[in-house]
Amino acid sequence: MAGSSHGHTPAAWTGVIISFIGFCVAGAFVVMAEPVGFWAGMAVIVLGGVVGGIMRTMGLGAPKAEPLVRSERPTANREAAASSQS
């Protein structure tokens, strides 16, 4: 995991922080037995995901992964097999 930048973006940090605050709010209202406050906290959790997604589409998330480079060896094997059949 050290070689990746998983989660090290402004979009990820913002989404997680907002969701964490919503989790804390929902948890506090569960202890106080207040269903309206619990659902407000759940709404804040969902809002964190929405805000993180919007920020990612704005370019503040991780860039798209580049496809891995294929080895040249299979192509060379195909060419060698084709020339030996000729």
Side-chain angles (χ1 to χ4, degrees), residues 56 62-66:
R56 182 173 50 118
K64 297 285 183 186
E66 294 292 325

Side-chain angles (χ1 to χ4, degrees), residues 21-32:
I21 291 168
F23 177 78
C24 291
V25 168
F29 280 104
V30 163
V31 172
M32 292 187 284

Side-chain angles (χ1 to χ4, degrees), residues 72-86:
E72 294 296 324
R73 190 171 191 151
T75 306
N77 287 342
R78 280 189 231 133
E79 290 173 0
S83 65
S84 66
Q85 290 178 355
S86 307

Side-chain angles (χ1 to χ4, degrees), residues 1-40:
M1 186 83 120
S4 70
S5 63
H6 179 73
H8 298 275
T9 63
W13 279 98
T14 304
V16 168
I17 289 170
I18 292 172
S19 296
F20 179 72
I21 291 168
F23 177 78
C24 291
V25 168
F29 280 104
V30 163
V31 172
M32 292 187 284
E34 294 289 335
V36 175
F38 166 76
W39 288 110

